Amino acid sequence: MTVLPDDGLSLAAEFPDATHEQWQRLVEGVLRKSGKEASGEAAEDALSTQLEDGLTTRPLYTARETGANANGDNGGTGANAANAAHADADAAGFPGFAPFTRGGRPEGTSVSGWDVRQRLAGTDPVRVNEAALADLENGTTSLWLTVGRTGIPADGLARALDGVYLDLAPVTLDAGADYAEAARALLALYAEREVAPEAARASLGADPLGHEARTGEFLDLAEAAALARETAGAWPHVRALTVDALPYHEAGGSAAEELGLSLATGVAYLRALEDGGLGVEAALGQLEFRYAATADQFLTIAKLRAARRLWARVAEACGAPEAGAQRQHAVTSPVMMTRRDPWVNMLRTTVACMAAGVGGADSVTVLPFDNELGLPDAFARRIARNTSTILLEESHLARVIDPAGGSYYVEQLTTELAGAAWEFFQTVEKAGGLSGALRSGLVAERLATTWAARSKKLAKRREPITGVSEFPLLSEKPVVREPGPAGPTGGLPRVRRDEAYEALRARSDAHLTATGHRPRVFLAALGPAAAHTARATFASNLFQAGGIEPVHDPVSVDPASAAAAYAASGADGMAVLCSSDALYEEQAGAVAAALRSAGATTLFLAGKPGTAEGSVDEYVFAGCDAVAVLSSVLDRMGVAS
C-alpha cells in the first residue's frame, strides 16, 4: 500500500474512515426511496445495471471490489481512500510502461493534446483538397482519406493533397482492396515533394481482414506483409497496417467483442509479418488500432484502457513486452448517430470525444453531426473540428495523463472488460483465427445475437434515443445533404440504433406526401392537468416516435364531450385514454363507449395492463415494445410499409 506523506494536507482527516457496510446503508436508503426494501448485497444488486458481455455496473465501488489495497482496507474517505486509489494506479502500471493501461507514452497527450484527425469522404480530389486545407487551417492536425473504389482514385491523391505540408500533417489512408496502390501513391508523393523519410508520418491503412469483414472479399495477407517490410526499412514513422475494429462495432458488436476481434486481427497480422521476414518488435511497430468511441463515456474509457492492456499481453507473449504500446485511433461511433434530429449528434460526439481523450487515444476523429445524411457540409465539419479544440484548449482535457486511473469503478470495469474480451479472443483463435471465424459464420452469428438483444432494449426504449425514441419532433424540417459515396457491402451488416424507428418514420413521411397529413391518434385526457399530464406526455412521445401525430385538443374530455372531440380530431380510428388510475376507474368505461360511438375502432390506455379491463383494447406503458406497438398501429391505419 502506498503511504502518503504527513504534509498537513490530509484529506478529511477529521472524519473516521467509512466502512463498506456504512456505504451499503446509504445504498439501502436510495432504494428505500423508490419503495423497495433490501439490505446489504441485495440492495446493491437491486441498483445494479446489466451491461453487454455479462458485465454489471454496481452502485458502489470500493477497494474491496478492485483488490487495490493488499492490506484489506475498505477504501472510504480520507487518507486510506487515497492510498487505495494510488495502489490501484500502481496495479495498472505507469504511462509509457507495460502493461500500458495508463497510456502508451510517458507524457500521454499532455504535451500537444491528441491528434485531431478529420475524415475526408468524397470522390472528387478537388473538393477533398478544399476541405482538407480548410480543416488544417482551422484546428485539424492530421487527415484521414478514403481512397479507391469508394473514395478518390489513387492517381488523384496528389491533387487532393495539393498545398498540404506533408512533413507537418500526418496522413491516414482507407483504401480497402486498393491499399497497395494507394500506399505506393502516397509514398511516391513523399519522395516527389522531397519529404525526408524520418519526417513522414502516415498510416497506410492496409487491413485485409477488416476488408473481408466488410465485403466478404478475401485478400492475401502476404501483400500487406510485403508493404510493411518495405515501410519498416525505409519510413521509420509510417505504419503499414491498420487493425480496424469499426466493422465489428458497426455490425452490432459489444465492447468486448470489438476488443476480442481486434486482438485476433492484430495477432493474425503479427504472424503474417513475421512470416514475411520482420522481427517481432518491427512487426508490432507496423500496426495502428482503430476503435469506436460512444456516448457511454465510462465504457469507452475502459475499452481503450483495456485494449492497451490486452495488446501488451500479446506483446509479452511474443517476447517483446516493451514494444507493446498500442497506437490508438478513436472514432466517434456511427452506430449512435441519428438521421432524425441530427443536431443531437453534436452532444453525442462531444461526450464520445471526451471519453476517447480521457481513455488515452492517440488520435480522435469526431464524425460530423450530419455524417449519416450524406456528405457533411462546411458547418458540420467546423463543429466536428471545434469539438476537439474546445476539449483541448478550453477544458484542458489532455493536461492530465489517464485522469480516470485509480477510480475504483473505472479500474474494475477495465479489468472485467479485458477479461471478457480475452475470453472471446480465445474463442476466435480456437475457430482458426479471425479469418476462419469470419468464413465459418461464427463472428456474424455472435454479433447478430448481441445486436438482437440490444435491439429489444431499443424497441422497449430501455436504451433511449433522444430526438428519435424520446422527445421526437414531427414538425422538424429534414436536414438534406448531398449523397456521399456508397460504402463497401457484402460482408457484415451495418446497423444503426435508430433503424427501427427510422423505418416507422419513413412510413409516416410517405403517408404525409401521399395524403397531405400524418397518421393521427386522439389523446383523450381525463380530468385536470395534474391527473393526466404525465401519461399524456408519455403517450404523445411514444406515438410521435412512430411518426404518428397526437391530437390533444381539447385539453381534457369527459363522457359528454369525448365523442365530439374525437370526431373533430381527424384521428385514424385510434384513441388513447390518459389519466390517473383513480379517474380511469371512474370514467374510463363511459369515455370509451363515447369514443367508440364516434368511430374509434381501437382504444389504448396509458397505464398498467389490466386497468379498465373490458373498456379498452390495448395498453401502452413504460417498458412496452414501442416498435411493435407503433408498427401495428400504422398497419391498422392502412399506412403502407
Side-chain angles (χ1 to χ4, degrees), residues 174-187:
D174 186 355
D178 304 318
Y179 69 84
E181 182 184 4
R184 290 189 168 85
L186 179 61
L187 295 178

Side-chain angles (χ1 to χ4, degrees), residues 151 252 335 357 426 489:
V335 176
Q426 290 179 313
T489 59

Side-chain angles (χ1 to χ4, degrees), residues 390-414:
I390 289 173
L391 294 174
L392 288 168
E393 304 298 336
E394 296 188 21
S395 300
H396 308 295
L397 200 63
R399 296 287 180 88
V400 179
I401 303 170
D402 189 29
S407 157
Y408 298 134
Y409 172 44
V410 172
E411 296 293 358
Q412 184 69 8
L413 185 58
T414 299

Side-chain angles (χ1 to χ4, degrees), residues 298-574:
F298 287 109
L299 190 61
T300 296
I301 293 167
K303 179 167 70 174
L304 295 175
R305 299 174 89 248
R308 292 192 294 271
R309 180 186 297 184
L310 290 165
W311 190 241
R313 180 68 185 92
V314 170
E316 181 184 18
C318 292
E322 299 308 315
Q326 188 183 74
R327 187 76 180 177
Q328 290 183 336
H329 173 202
V331 181
T332 57
S333 166
V335 176
M336 73 178 179
M337 305 285 269
T338 62
R339 288 158 280 194
R340 307 283 172 162
D341 202 357
W343 315 102
V344 182
N345 291 331
M346 297 183 196
L347 305 178
R348 298 184 179 103
T349 54
T350 298
V351 175
C353 180
M354 184 199 74
V358 171
D362 301 287
S363 302
V364 179
T365 295
V366 175
L367 295 179
F369 74 88
D370 55 358
N371 186 72
E372 295 306 303
L373 299 172
L375 288 176
D377 68 2
F379 171 75
R381 299 180 64 79
R382 177 186 175 214
I383 294 298
R385 294 190 304 264
N386 286 349
T387 300
S388 278
T389 300
I390 289 173
L391 294 174
L392 288 168
E393 304 298 336
E394 296 188 21
S395 300
H396 308 295
L397 200 63
R399 296 287 180 88
V400 179
I401 303 170
D402 189 29
S407 157
Y408 298 134
Y409 172 44
V410 172
E411 296 293 358
Q412 184 69 8
L413 185 58
T414 299
T415 298
E416 292 178 358
L417 186 57
W422 190 264
E423 182 179 353
F424 183 49
F425 162 62
Q426 290 179 313
T427 298
V428 173
E429 286 294 284
K430 290 176 183 176
L434 181 58
S435 186
L438 284 171
R439 293 168 200 169
S440 69
L442 183 152
V443 172
E445 291 171 10
R446 173 72 176 252
L447 301 186
T449 299
T450 299
W451 181 245
R454 189 177 179 190
S455 294
K456 290 180 180 179
K457 294 180 182 179
L458 290 163
K460 293 183 177 183
R461 305 198 297 176
R462 299 296 189 193
E463 182 181 334
I465 311 172
T466 304
V468 177
S469 67
E470 301 287 342
F471 310 111
L473 182 63
L474 288 187
S475 60
E476 70 170 311
K477 293 182 179 180
V479 177
V480 179
R481 293 289 183 265
E482 179 185 346
T489 59
L492 296 173
R494 291 193 178 197
V495 301
R496 296 292 180 269
R497 286 200 311 160
D498 66 351
E499 58 188 20
Y501 295 96
E502 179 64 26
L504 296 171
R505 293 287 293 273
R507 293 176 66 180
S508 173
D509 289 348
H511 187 78
L512 174 63
T513 300
T515 66
H517 65 84
R518 293 192 182 277
R520 295 175 184 145
V521 62
F522 178 62
L523 302 188
L526 314 181
H532 69 240
T533 295
R535 281 172 169 163
T537 301
F538 165 81
S540 177
N541 279 324
L542 172 68
F543 283 95
Q544 286 186 86
I548 301 167
E549 180 184 349
V551 179
H552 188 186
D553 183 29
V555 172
S556 181
V557 298
D558 55 26
S561 63
Y566 175 81
S569 71
D572 297 300
M574 307 283 172

Side-chain angles (χ1 to χ4, degrees), residues 81-100:
N83 288 341
H86 275 267
D88 254 349
D90 291 348
F94 298 94
F97 297 90
F100 303 105

Side-chain angles (χ1 to χ4, degrees), residues 586-617:
E586 293 176 13
Q587 300 184 25
V591 170
L595 292 171
R596 292 190 192 279
S597 70
T601 56
T602 303
L603 297 183
F604 290 88
L605 182 143
K608 295 178 289 187
T611 304
E613 191 170 10
S615 298
V616 297
D617 304 300

Side-chain angles (χ1 to χ4, degrees), residues 127-164:
R127 294 180 62 182
V128 168
N129 177 253
E130 292 172 354
L133 294 178
D135 289 340
L136 291 170
E137 289 169 2
N138 293 282
T140 291
T141 55
S142 74
L143 303 174
W144 179 15
L145 296 170
T146 303
V147 185
R149 303 174 192 176
T150 60
I152 59 175
D155 59 11
L157 197 57
R159 180 63 186 89
L161 295 174
D162 187 28
V164 175

